[in-house]
Amino acid sequence: MYKRQGEHVAGGAGAAAPAPRGVRFAPPAFDARDRREMDRAAEEAKAMGIVTESAMAMQAAAFSGDAARVRALLARGANVNALFRGRRPLHCAASCGDVDCVAALLEAEGVNVDGRCGEGFRSPLHHALRHGRLAAARLLLAGGANANAADGHHARPLHVAAGAGDGDAVDALVAAGADARARDGRGRTPRDLARDFGYLAICKALVAAEARVVKRATMLRRATKASSAALAAYATRRKADGVSTLDAPAPAPLPRLPRGGLGRGAGAGAS
């Protein structure tokens, strides 16, 4: 669907593009959800003394794509979120791309779909996209994975997909609510990565996705402003009539923002 145009920079699609000279960028602060997951992973990695046999067996089964073995271990009480050698079972299943293993783990009670690994603090969705496992990534998104999860370098799943030239993954992430304007630790948006590596069709699709984000934010800001003005006018009228606004019924709520055409995938903007 998406064809690469031009030559990418030396080092391949996995290499980091050089930061612009003379430009200083302060990395964005992690939000509370990302920080909580990273702190949890760091604490578990530090506190992990003796690795149980079930944790080793679970990771081996997930890496090999043995869904039956995974379900059997879970039935015996294996920890679905056990951190072993820096990864959890869901990281392993997402990396190998076995959808049956991913499904088995997502069905387990207490699974942390956004649990971070011990190296790079990446989520299972990051791992699936880094290895080109689109089916596993779609399953993770359907299972509630955070499409805007940040890793230790502030890179979001959309950065990974755009840098790898995976247009279908970009579409899936944008449709799931990924922020096309998010910046990584070096100040780059997903569109910057797609442009640097020569993925012009993906770059064009991300431009359209960014425009939809801006449009929706503008509509929300205008609606909020109109709502505030309407409430102020209502309070003024009630006060002029000598009626307390606390005792009077509230005005009819404003209509909700139209959502048609604002939540479509990135592919709608690609030609």
Side-chain angles (χ1 to χ4, degrees), residues 46-110:
K46 185 182 298 184
M48 185 179 63
I50 301 176
V51 179
T52 62
E53 182 179 354
S54 63
M56 298 174 61
M58 175 70 80
Q59 188 169 108
F63 256 132
S64 61
D66 191 346
R69 178 65 173 164
V70 167
R71 288 190 171 90
L73 289 169
L74 289 173
R76 296 175 187 174
N79 185 358
V80 68
N81 296 314
L83 190 66
F84 174 56
R85 291 183 178 176
R87 293 190 179 188
R88 305 177 193 275
L90 198 53
H91 293 119
C92 303
S95 298
C96 77
D98 189 280
V99 292
D100 290 335
C101 275
V102 173
L105 292 168
L106 289 176
E107 293 167 1
E109 183 178 358

Side-chain angles (χ1 to χ4, degrees), residues 128-270:
L129 295 170
R130 281 168 60 88
H131 292 84
R133 312 300 190 183
L134 179 58
R138 291 183 186 276
L139 193 57
L140 289 168
L141 289 171
N146 182 10
N148 289 305
D151 66 8
H153 300 286
H154 296 272
R156 313 299 173 94
L158 196 55
H159 285 94
V160 179
D166 192 338
D168 292 333
V170 168
D171 287 343
L173 289 167
V174 171
D179 185 2
R181 299 188 300 168
R183 296 182 179 272
D184 63 10
R186 302 181 66 182
R188 301 169 300 182
T189 65
R191 176 164 58 91
D192 293 333
L193 293 178
R195 180 196 60 219
D196 291 342
F197 294 129
Y199 302 120
L200 301 185
I202 293 178
C203 186
K204 182 178 179 180
L206 288 171
V207 169
E210 291 178 11
R212 287 194 294 273
V213 173
V214 172
K215 182 178 179 181
R216 182 163 182 81
T218 302
M219 294 178 64
L220 181 60
R221 185 168 58 252
R222 290 176 178 174
T224 302
K225 185 177 180 180
S227 177
S228 299
L231 289 175
Y234 172 77
T236 302
R237 290 195 306 270
R238 303 303 296 185
K239 185 176 181 180
D241 295 339
V243 180
S244 172
T245 56
L246 296 178
D247 299 330
L254 294 176
R256 300 185 64 179
L257 289 176
R259 302 187 63 182
L262 298 181
R264 292 177 294 181

Side-chain angles (χ1 to χ4, degrees), residues 38-48 83:
M38 293 179 186
D39 290 344
R40 180 185 300 174
E43 291 174 2
E44 291 184 14
K46 185 182 298 184
M48 185 179 63
L83 190 66

Side-chain angles (χ1 to χ4, degrees), residues 29-41 116 121 150 152 154:
F30 293 110
D31 61 27
R33 183 176 180 180
D34 288 328
R35 175 55 62 189
R36 183 171 60 252
E37 294 297 342
M38 293 179 186
D39 290 344
R40 180 185 300 174
R116 299 304 200 270
F121 294 107
H154 296 272

